[in-house]
Amino acid sequence: MATYECNKCGMSVNATCGKCDETLINDTLELDNGSNVQISKCPNDHGKIKSPLCCGQDMSCTV
């Protein structure tokens, strides 16, 4: 299971899709300006969200 953890305080969270209960997959989304944003997406294409934030920064993902 993918676990998102805060590099600053150590808080961690696991995320699953509310539609199918599958573990969300860590991914990146390229924006129109060429920059990348970390996202979490459903492996069954039910959608995607911005990855969790903690202490004002993106939480990093480990599998």
Side-chain angles (χ1 to χ4, degrees):
M1 175 175 281
T3 299
Y4 294 87
E5 187 170 329
C6 178
N7 293 328
K8 192 170 185 179
C9 74
M11 166 72 177
S12 64
V13 62
N14 296 321
T16 58
C17 176
K19 297 262 184 196
C20 65
D21 204 34
E22 288 289 326
T23 300
L24 297 183
I25 299 169
N26 185 51
D27 201 2
T28 56
L29 178 69
E30 186 174 341
L31 302 178
D32 291 339
N33 66 8
S35 64
N36 289 316
V37 175
Q38 184 180 16
I39 62 168
S40 301
K41 68 180 185 177
C42 173
N44 296 316
D45 294 324
H46 287 127
K48 55 188 165 244
I49 62 169
K50 171 106 174 52
S51 291
L53 294 172
C54 188
C55 296
Q57 62 189 23
D58 284 326
M59 296 173 88
S60 60
C61 181
T62 58
V63 178

